[in-house]
Amino acid sequence: MPKNEICEIAIGIVLGFAAAKVLELAFTLAAFILILAAYGVIELAQYVGRALGAW
């Protein structure tokens, strides 16, 4: 096997791992943002409910 072919395979593996990590991070971040958004909506609904109740 020529040396440059081994290098290409190694680079491919490294890039694959990097892409997987970036995707994992992106999904984790998206999940975190969704959880925060849901929490914010619940808080807002409670606030509006209290405001309407007091009104």
Side-chain angles (χ1 to χ4, degrees), residues 6-29:
I6 294 169
C7 281
E8 281 178 23
I9 291 168
I11 289 169
I13 290 168
V14 168
L15 286 178
F17 272 118
K21 279 289 165 203
V22 168
L23 273 178
E24 193 182 322
L25 189 66
F27 276 118
T28 305
L29 201 61

